[in-house]
Amino acid sequence: MVQKYQSPVRVYKHPFELVMAAYERRFPTCHLIPMFVASDVVNEESSEDGSTHRVERRCALDVDAPRLLKRIAGVDYVYFIQKNTLNRKERTLHIESHNETFSNRVIIHETCCYSVHPENEDWTCFEQTASLDIKSFFGFESTVEKIAMKQYASSIKKGKEIIEYYLKELEEEGITHVSRWTPSTISLPSSRPTSPSTNTPDIPRLAVIPAVSVPLSTEDNKLDADYIKRYLGDLTPLQESCLIRLRIWLQETHKGKIPKDEHILRFLRARDFNMDRAREILCQSLTWRKQHQVDYLLETWTSPQVLQDYYTGGWHHHDRDGRPLYILRLGQMDTKGLVRALGEESLLRHVLSINEEGLRRCEENTKVFGRPISCWTCLVDLEGLNMRHLWRPGVKALLRIIEVVEANYPETLGRLLILRAPRVFPVLWTLVSPFIDENTRKKFLIYAGNDYQGPGGLVDYIDKEIIPDFLAGECMCEVPEGGLVPKSMYRTPEELENEDVRLWTETIYQSASIFKGAPHELLIEIIDASSVITWDFDVCKGDIVFNIYHSKRAPQLPRKDPLGAHGITSPGGNNVQLIDKSWTLGQDYSMVESPLTCKEGESVQGSHITRWPGFYILQWRFHNMPACSATNLPRVDDVLATLQVSSHKCKVMYYTEVLGSEDFRLARLSSVGSTHTNQHALFLST
């Protein structure tokens, strides 16, 4: 496979003729490039008017390769043929080089060009591209590729430094100007020093390249190296090459708006600069943006009033690194109420608008702080988080939002500070962490309780003056305080007909009828102690009491027969009893949680960390059931009689899940450990 590399445009803030004088001093050898052993001119010619000069050189390189590889190859030096064409009239120098050694096994081709800056004729541009095609090399193809990549990166890095070194040398010798070519005059690199009166004025040090994300010239595939460093950050030569090549590919193949360089770079970073993988996810994201008109979201999206009043998130200054700071008071947010009032799509749209606003703020801060700022910091306050936040449609909405954001906004989160994580946090973390990219998880810093106020806490990342008042700071924060969304704002079932919330309720929730004297029970087998049983149920009708029991032996499951010997199944098939009437509480089974009374219309979420393996029974029973009925079930005839009394019927919709003990312990360690003594654990994936 042919590997291709392309460097950004390097700009020398000196005239072309002076740069050419500096370039000629690289030959026949250059002490700044130890591997450049020698060069011999094998052919040289000039046009009649002297405007064009061609030179062909044979160059010897002492490649930095393992000695064993050199012995196997049978060579000490690698020879290259370099052909230079200098056009003094057009003010260009084109350089082509290829390897002479091992040309039947490895093909290396490199092209370079010096030309006049398109916007300032007193500046000179330099561009470089290369290709590598390894057909065979004694079984060391991978090693040779790595060596070639290393040499290319070194060449790119050294090239500009060498020219600038010789430019300074010329200046010290008094050569600060070389006349341009005219039909009657040939300017040679050995031009005599000129007097100060004939020198050109000092070249301004401010680039004429606009300070925005635009290319160097009208040829949109050109990027300036100084622009990359100023607006995109320090990149290795190979990373620069990936950015430019992917940008060119998009311009040649993509139909539609070409994303900004910062956007392309995020996808490359997300895939460790693997061109093929980055190109795949970027193209998918560009298609998604076009389908959903995301480019126009900030101009077209208006948050519903319920979001403005009850969505507890907002932008708040910036962190110590200049990154925009977003604060989310998740513990104060009524996630269930927002999903019920808005539906998933509106919530997703709102989160996308936050991400788009974050990108805009990064661009602004890049200009303000004079350095590349490509991501933001998010501070999540979990005070008030409880099992109510684990309402399953809400969790699934969160998972979908995470999936969409991960796919379309990679490398936009610089740091996530999670504060005041309560004991219930490990349950939420265990549910959502598998859907978060590993590189993203490394950016999470979690504090339990008030640990964030001490050494290594919030002040390490946010200036003390802007810490919000609700975090014991002095800065007033305009993030809404949240609260419960009034049920009067909930959307009706008809309005949610096409929403995923209704579908989730039908597919992941089970319904059960509860009669006076006939509770509904669910069996869960636990193999590993310290596993976590979670539940989420809505009381649709009537008042119920919720219990959890443990037994070392398995109850006999009821037969499908409605009048099974060990339980009763209602005609609808949604009432199951498991506790045998012969069992005695305290002997055959035990209660592991205090009874919980739940009223009609309530939504209940909770969890239980199991202490022993065995069988756990979740029970929903009629609220007015006599206390003894849990241990001594009524006769079948009595229960059948109660089925006819509609006022003695309750209904619940429930969902349960068991979280593995290993995952839960890891999450719990991360959330409740001391940030001072257990710093490594807080990073979760480091």
Side-chain angles (χ1 to χ4, degrees):
M1 180 178 179
V2 179
Q3 298 289 341
K4 296 182 179 180
Y5 312 98
Q6 180 164 345
S7 69
V9 178
R10 261 70 178 176
V11 177
Y12 300 99
K13 297 172 184 177
H14 299 277
F16 175 80
E17 289 73 21
L18 194 61
V19 172
M20 290 298 98
Y23 174 78
E24 285 298 323
R25 295 202 170 197
R26 295 179 54 175
F27 302 99
T29 59
C30 178
H31 70 280
L32 297 176
I33 312 178
M35 64 174 290
F36 190 62
V37 179
S39 66
D40 298 318
V41 176
V42 297
N43 187 30
E44 185 173 9
E45 60 181 10
S46 297
S47 61
E48 292 184 3
D49 61 358
S51 62
T52 304
H53 183 228
R54 296 183 179 87
V55 179
E56 182 176 341
R57 294 183 176 91
R58 188 171 185 261
C59 306
L61 303 180
D62 185 7
V63 178
D64 183 16
R67 186 169 184 83
L68 175 62
L69 185 59
K70 288 185 177 181
R71 291 182 61 183
I72 294 175
V75 298
D76 289 324
Y77 302 124
V78 175
Y79 290 91
F80 275 77
I81 302 299
Q82 183 190 79
K83 297 180 180 180
N84 293 3
T85 302
L86 173 64
N87 190 321
R88 298 188 178 96
K89 181 178 181 180
E90 300 293 335
R91 304 179 75 193
T92 61
L93 172 64
H94 290 281
I95 306 169
E96 291 190 11
S97 60
H98 64 273
N99 61 306
E100 182 182 69
T101 308
F102 303 121
S103 58
N104 60 329
R105 295 179 177 273
V106 180
I107 300 175
I108 301 175
H109 186 261
E110 185 179 56
T111 60
C112 304
C113 178
Y114 288 88
S115 61
V116 178
H117 192 290
E119 298 177 18
N120 189 329
E121 63 178 11
D122 288 328
W123 290 356
T124 305
C125 296
F126 172 75
E127 299 176 67
Q128 184 176 9
T129 62
S131 64
L132 171 66
D133 185 7
I134 303 177
K135 299 184 179 301
S136 65
F137 203 86
F138 312 106
F140 290 91
E141 290 78 11
S142 177
T143 302
V144 172
E145 181 177 346
K146 292 178 181 178
I147 293 173
M149 292 173 64
K150 181 180 178 180
Q151 297 294 162
Y152 172 79
S154 176
S155 171
I156 291 291
K157 185 177 180 180
K158 273 285 186 182
K160 187 176 182 181
E161 297 176 3
I162 293 170
I163 294 295
E164 289 177 342
Y165 172 84
Y166 287 120
L167 284 168
K168 185 177 180 180
E169 187 177 83
L170 287 169
E171 183 180 357
E172 291 173 350
E173 296 174 5
I175 302 177
T176 58
H177 174 75
V178 177
S179 300
R180 296 186 186 179
W181 178 88
T182 62
S184 59
T185 305
I186 299 177
S187 297
L188 298 176
S190 58
S191 300
R192 291 176 298 174
T194 57
S195 63
S197 60
T198 60
N199 286 350
T200 56
D202 289 341
I203 300 173
R205 292 298 162 186
L206 292 177
V208 299
I209 301 172
V212 293
S213 177
V214 296
L216 173 70
S217 68
T218 54
E219 296 179 37
D220 291 342
N221 61 346
K222 294 183 179 181
L223 292 178
D224 174 46
D226 293 335
Y227 154 78
I228 289 178
K229 185 174 182 179
R230 167 65 178 82
Y231 293 99
L232 304 180
D234 291 321
L235 303 176
T236 68
L238 295 178
Q239 290 172 344
E240 291 175 339
S241 174
C242 288
L243 172 61
I244 296 170
R245 288 166 53 215
L246 184 51
R247 193 172 189 271
I248 293 174
W249 182 86
L250 286 171
Q251 290 167 335
E252 293 175 348
T253 62
H254 182 66
K255 296 180 180 179
K257 184 178 179 180
I258 302 298
K260 297 179 180 180
D261 302 318
E262 301 95 314
H263 196 81
I264 299 174
L265 189 57
R266 288 189 182 97
F267 284 85
L268 283 167
R269 283 175 171 151
R271 292 298 181 267
D272 297 323
F273 287 87
N274 183 304
M275 276 279 294
D276 293 335
R277 294 171 60 198
R279 179 168 52 201
E280 179 182 359
I281 62 173
L282 176 57
C283 290
Q284 292 173 354
S285 179
L286 292 176
T287 301
W288 170 83
R289 293 182 69 89
K290 184 176 181 180
Q291 290 175 343
H292 298 278
Q293 297 292 295
V294 179
D295 289 334
Y296 310 102
L297 186 61
L298 292 180
E299 292 78 22
T300 59
W301 167 255
T302 301
S303 297
Q305 191 62 44
V306 65
L307 277 175
Q308 298 177 32
D309 295 338
Y310 296 98
Y311 190 88
T312 55
W315 294 100
H316 181 76
H317 300 282
H318 56 79
D319 69 4
R320 288 184 178 271
D321 296 321
R323 297 166 173 167
L325 175 63
Y326 190 83
I327 294 180
L328 181 65
R329 303 183 68 179
L330 183 60
Q332 305 298 316
M333 186 182 298
D334 180 11
T335 53
K336 178 180 179 179
L338 288 174
V339 174
R340 283 278 177 90
L342 294 168
E344 179 188 328
E345 290 303 320
S346 292
L347 273 177
L348 175 59
R349 207 76 175 163
H350 183 64
V351 173
L352 295 181
S353 71
I354 293 172
N355 280 270
E356 290 295 308
E357 174 67 16
L359 295 177
R360 187 185 66 79
R361 288 174 178 261
C362 285
E363 290 185 11
E364 292 179 352
N365 286 16
T366 295
K367 299 174 184 177
V368 171
F369 291 97
R371 62 178 183 272
I373 295 174
S374 60
C375 52
W376 58 81
T377 292
C378 185
L379 186 155
V380 180
D381 179 24
L382 295 182
E383 185 183 47
L385 186 78
N386 54 48
M387 293 304 297
R388 193 174 191 278
H389 291 85
L390 299 183
W391 181 60
R392 284 316 187 272
V395 172
K396 286 194 173 289
L398 174 62
L399 294 180
R400 186 196 169 198
I401 290 173
I402 290 174
E403 181 182 17
V404 172
V405 171
E406 285 275 332
N408 298 286
Y409 298 92
E411 296 298 317
T412 53
L413 179 66
R415 182 181 295 116
L416 181 65
L417 301 169
I418 299 179
L419 273 56
R420 302 197 281 192
R423 297 185 66 84
V424 72
F425 171 72
V427 180
L428 178 62
W429 176 253
T430 306
L431 291 173
V432 303
S433 61
F435 297 89
I436 302 175
D437 181 76
E438 181 180 354
N439 289 333
T440 303
R441 292 202 302 269
K442 293 178 181 179
K443 302 171 184 177
F444 285 37
L445 190 61
I446 306 172
Y447 299 87
N450 293 320
D451 288 344
Y452 70 92
Q453 296 178 348
L458 200 56
V459 292
D460 284 3
Y461 308 100
I462 300 175
D463 288 332
K464 184 178 180 181
E465 293 75 18
I466 67 168
I467 293 179
D469 51 340
F470 60 83
L471 293 175
E474 301 176 356
C475 185
M476 296 298 295
C477 184
E478 298 181 357
V479 174
E481 295 183 359
L484 294 177
V485 177
K487 291 186 178 180
S488 60
M489 303 183 73
Y490 286 8
R491 298 173 68 179
T492 64
E494 291 76 18
E495 292 173 325
L496 288 172
E497 183 176 357
N498 296 321
E499 291 284 349
D500 286 340
V501 173
R502 183 183 64 85
L503 297 177
W504 291 340
T505 303
E506 292 177 353
T507 56
I508 72 172
Y509 279 72
Q510 299 183 51
S511 62
S513 297
I514 302 163
F515 304 96
K516 187 174 182 180
H520 177 72
E521 295 166 343
L522 178 69
L523 179 66
I524 298 176
E525 183 178 4
I526 297 296
I527 305 299
D528 298 322
S530 299
S531 296
V532 182
I533 301 173
T534 68
W535 56 84
D536 175 9
F537 62 86
D538 289 343
V539 183
C540 303
K541 180 181 179 182
D543 300 339
I544 59 99
V545 175
F546 178 68
N547 282 303
I548 305 180
Y549 301 102
H550 172 262
S551 174
K552 294 182 180 179
R553 57 172 174 155
Q556 185 174 343
L557 297 178
R559 296 196 300 264
K560 293 183 179 181
D561 183 351
L563 301 181
H566 296 281
I568 298 176
T569 302
S570 69
N574 58 358
N575 180 277
V576 177
Q577 297 176 48
L578 299 168
I579 300 177
D580 194 284
K581 63 180 180 179
S582 64
W583 282 16
T584 301
L585 184 62
Q587 296 181 7
D588 300 290
Y589 66 111
S590 59
M591 183 181 294
V592 296
E593 290 275 355
S594 299
L596 179 65
T597 301
C598 308
K599 301 293 184 180
E600 180 175 322
E602 287 187 349
S603 178
V604 181
Q605 293 79 33
S607 67
H608 174 77
I609 303 176
T610 62
R611 296 178 59 187
W612 317 280
F615 300 90
Y616 287 79
I617 301 171
L618 277 57
Q619 182 194 76
W620 293 265
R621 63 178 174 83
F622 198 85
H623 176 47
N624 291 328
M625 182 183 294
C628 62
S629 61
T631 57
N632 298 308
L633 295 178
R635 294 183 301 115
V636 173
D637 293 342
D638 296 335
V639 174
L640 290 177
T642 63
L643 295 179
Q644 308 302 320
V645 184
S646 60
S647 61
H648 290 173
K649 178 181 178 181
C650 300
K651 184 177 181 180
V652 296
M653 297 188 68
Y654 65 90
Y655 175 86
T656 63
E657 185 173 0
V658 177
L659 307 179
S661 58
E662 190 67 30
D663 294 336
F664 182 78
R665 280 198 298 268
L666 174 62
R668 190 158 188 256
L669 172 66
S670 303
S671 66
V672 301
S674 166
T675 60
H676 181 68
T677 61
N678 194 21
Q679 192 75 323
H680 291 291
L682 296 177
F683 285 91
L684 302 179
S685 298
T686 54

